[in-house]
Amino acid sequence: MQLLIENAIKHNTFSIKSPLVIDIFVDSNQYLNVVNNYQKRETYIDTTGLGLKNIADRYSYFTDQKTFFGVIENQFHAKVPLLN
């Protein structure tokens, strides 16, 4: 969960007038959801682009359930299955 929150902070812009809102919840399909209002950072950040891919790869070792990372209706959704 920490990596998903850090990802939201790293890749979005925010201010007092335009705060970054992050919602964290478990849905009915037993997925952990970290959802934020998508406010893409305009300035360049030195990044490898591998953070979310590494999370998805790690989950693939433990489950066949897929992760999801993407923008839906002006919100960025990160969804990872809960593991038993």
Side-chain angles (χ1 to χ4, degrees), residues 5-78:
I5 294 168
E6 287 176 356
N7 186 72
I9 293 168
K10 180 178 180 179
H11 292 286
N12 287 276
T13 186
F14 48 91
S15 66
I16 291 174
K17 290 183 179 180
S18 185
L20 180 64
V21 178
I22 302 173
D23 293 316
I24 302 167
F25 60 94
V26 175
D27 65 24
S28 61
N29 294 318
Q30 296 300 296
Y31 272 74
L32 173 69
N33 290 257
V34 178
V35 179
N36 63 273
N37 51 324
Y38 187 59
Q39 303 178 137
K40 186 176 179 181
R41 185 180 293 267
E42 304 265 334
T43 57
Y44 176 77
I45 295 178
D46 187 24
T47 181
T48 62
L50 294 176
L52 296 178
K53 182 184 180 318
N54 285 340
I55 292 172
D57 289 346
R58 288 179 195 154
Y59 267 88
S60 71
Y61 287 117
F62 299 106
T63 182
D64 291 332
Q65 293 177 286
K66 300 298 181 191
T67 57
F68 174 81
F69 308 110
V71 177
I72 301 172
E73 296 180 6
N74 297 319
Q75 292 183 316
F76 187 84
H77 291 252

